[in-house]
């Protein structure tokens, strides 16, 4: 059960968390290191031999191609601060290439920095003082159940393309066409401003470029907004007038910004809370603890060469990557355009090391596979994307594998590196991180969790205010105001949201609760001669997959849905054999999964 004293989790686990004991004790967990023998075979080996092979090949690669030919690829498969960040110390010390993250929330981060100078919004514990929360592009009941329950008692609205479980449980649902969020937000802003519903005193004191923005939205035609978004004019007016009255908080989802229009959408949406007088009236990221000491970038000599996460295949094709060390990630399930990525790995000489709990799709491409352990088996601290608490993670048992921390220390020793920062104890690292953030290890150990204190907050923008006219955006080559640019594709727009029982690819193999069906509007099915439950082929220029179709009015006409990133080695495919690997270059080379179009036909 969850900790009953925790202000957010309050004694209950999410459905995924309730099954973590099954994940911990799974018989599928890797128990011994593996080294490749032939194209499809592995041989069990000792830890000593495996680490020696990795160290020798790492040194040889650096000597032959230079340190920047080595790339460490990791992401948020483990939220523990040490086991997320500590391995990076070795790669900083070796001056290797690092990832420029773009898979998850990057476009929204850049957009919020354009307007507020930060992606950290309101403390969710303040929701109890609010009248309204708007879930914009997030299925909170599935992906943030603790947050959804925290908002119990206040009015809930949902803006989404799909009629999700969150939409069903909301007081109002505004079903929007994909890629049109920016226009809807601008239309709402126009109504709030022109009907004098905005907080004049707040805007005068805290906004930059408001008069210019006011002139900009004055040219927007509400009939055009209604036509493009699919939301009727009277519903747009209803949203604007009631939102201004109730001064809503907006929980901005990650899904809407994983598209070519995502950054502009978040920029536009984020201005609405400011209009009604909120200093930071949104929820997005809660990255409030300084973890930099754990990562140890101070060990590096010279500048960092960063390789865009979403351009891994392209970097491999160019020969930029010769050694790939992967942990906390399963890119052979989670990255888009899987056919291209797999072809790049097969046709180029890249030595791959994977440290994981299971023989994942990514591990199948590895030259060396190192068994990992779980957070049940190690000391760490963990923060949250959503709230301001940090938790102590103490080991409760030990089954198999080694932590990211342990493996990196072993690898440093095998390389003959005696730098003390690469051999520092876990507890010492934890103490220094906490001290840097004004927190006490003793208090954390006693309570199990403590809240990260909120410092006095300012707007880290050029003007020191909320920027309706964004100077940072202009400097980055973008227009000063969010712009709507229609994006049209051929066929049906494919959306690939997360499933309730997985976190991207995690837990598919252990929980076994997945949904590989394609969801389609009945009108689109009629045109294609498709009936409910039939086997269909979903295809585009990236690839093709076969699955069953389910017809539902929850999905609008012109859109189809496949849940994301199940294991190809189990299903034989996943949605990322179809997803677009274009990036939103103006927003940090962020992902554009949802700017994908497919066609569907009966499978014969």
């Amino acid at each position: 059960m969850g900790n009953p004293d925790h202000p957010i989790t309050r004694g209950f686990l999410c459905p995924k968390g309730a099954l973590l004991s099954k994940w911990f004790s799974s018989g599928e967990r890797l128990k011994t290191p593996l080294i490749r023998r032939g194209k499809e075979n592995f041989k069990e080996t000792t830890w000593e031999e495996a680490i020696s092979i990795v160290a020798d090949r790492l040194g040889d690669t650096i000597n032959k191609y230079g340190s920047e030919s080595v790339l460490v690829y990791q992401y948020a498969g483990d939220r523990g601060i040490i086991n997320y960040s500590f391995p990076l110390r070795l790669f900083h010390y070796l001056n290797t290439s690092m990832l420029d993250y773009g898979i998850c929330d990057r476009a929204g981060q850049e957009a919020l920095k354009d307007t507020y100078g930060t992606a950290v919004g309101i403390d969710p514990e303040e929701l109890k003082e609010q009248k309204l929360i708007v879930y914009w592009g997030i299925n909170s009941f599935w992906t943030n159940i603790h947050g959804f329950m925290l908002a119990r008692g206040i009015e809930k609205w949902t803006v989404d393309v799909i009629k999700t479980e969150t939409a069903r449980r909301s007081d109002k649902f505004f079903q929007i066409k994909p890629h049109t969020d920016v226009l809807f937000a601008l239309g709402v802003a126009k109504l709030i401003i022109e009907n004098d519903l905005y907080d004049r005193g707040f805007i005068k004191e805290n906004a930059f470029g408001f008069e210019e923005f006011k002139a900009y939205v004055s040219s927007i035609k509400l009939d055009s907004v209604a036509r493009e978004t699919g939301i009727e004019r009277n519903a747009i007016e209803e949203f604007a007038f009631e939102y201004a009255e109730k001064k809503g908080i907006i929980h901005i989802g990650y899904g809407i910004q994983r598209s070519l229009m995502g950054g502009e959408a978040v920029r536009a949406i984020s201005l609405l809370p400011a209009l009604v007088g909120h200093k930071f009236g949104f929820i997005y990221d809660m990255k409030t603890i300084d973890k930099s000491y754990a990562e140890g970038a101070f060990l590096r000599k010279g500048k960092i060469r960063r390789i865009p996460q979403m351009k891994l295949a392209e970097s491999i094709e160019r020969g930029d990557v010769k050694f790939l060390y992967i942990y906390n990630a399963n890119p052979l399930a989670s990255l888009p355009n899987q056919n291209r990525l797999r072809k790049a790995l097969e046709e180029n000489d890249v030595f791959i090391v994977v440290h994981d709990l299971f023989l994942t799709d990514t591990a199948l491409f590895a030259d060396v596979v190192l068994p990992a352990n779980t957070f049940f088996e190690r000391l760490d601290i963990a923060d949250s994307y959503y709230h301001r608490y940090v938790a102590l993670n103490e080991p409760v048992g030990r089954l198999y594998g080694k932590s990211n921390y342990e493996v990196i220390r072993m690898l440093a020793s095998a390389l003959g590196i005696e730098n003390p920062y690469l051999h520092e104890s876990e507890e010492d690292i934890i103490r220094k991180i906490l001290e840097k953030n004004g927190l006490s290890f003793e208090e954390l150990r006693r309570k199990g969790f403590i809240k990260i204190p909120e410092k006095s907050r300012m707007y880290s923008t050029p003007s020191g205010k909320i920027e309706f006219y964004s100077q940072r955006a202009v400097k980055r080559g973008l227009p000063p105001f969010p712009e709507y640019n229609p994006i049209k594709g051929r066929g049906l727009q494919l959306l690939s949201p997360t499933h309730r029982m997985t976190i991207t690819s995690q837990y598919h193999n252990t929980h076994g609760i997945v949904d590989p069906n394609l969801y389609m509007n009945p009108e689109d099915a009629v045109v294609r001669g498709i009936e409910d439950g039939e086997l269909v082929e979903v295809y585009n220029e990236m690839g093709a997959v076969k699955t069953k179709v389910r017809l539902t009015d929850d999905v609008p006409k012109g859109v189809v849905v496949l849940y994301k990133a199940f294991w190809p080695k189990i299903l034989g495919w996943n949605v990322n054999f179809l997803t677009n690997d274009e990036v939103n270059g103006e927003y940090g080379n962020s992902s554009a999964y949802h700017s994908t179009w497919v066609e569907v036909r009966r499978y014969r």
Side-chain angles (χ1 to χ4, degrees), residues 68-70 305 307 314-322:
E68 289 186 344
S69 68
V70 175
R305 179 208 194 192
I307 291 177
E314 181 181 321
S315 298
I316 292 169
E317 290 165 351
R318 285 200 309 263
D320 292 344
V321 179
K322 297 295 183 182

Side-chain angles (χ1 to χ4, degrees), residues 72-76 84-85 88 99 101 309 325-329:
V72 54
Y73 185 108
Q74 45 76 239
Y75 206 61
Y84 178 91
S85 298
L88 300 177
L99 275 187
Y101 305 116
Q309 186 175 20
Y325 187 94
I326 301 171
Y327 73 98
N328 284 4

Side-chain angles (χ1 to χ4, degrees), residues 3 60 72 97 135 202 225 230 257 350 369 395 398 451 483:
N3 187 335
D60 290 344
V72 54
S97 294
Y135 294 110
F202 180 84
V225 175
Q257 51 90 63
V350 182
V369 182
R398 186 90 190 214
K451 191 167 187 177
E483 284 190 357

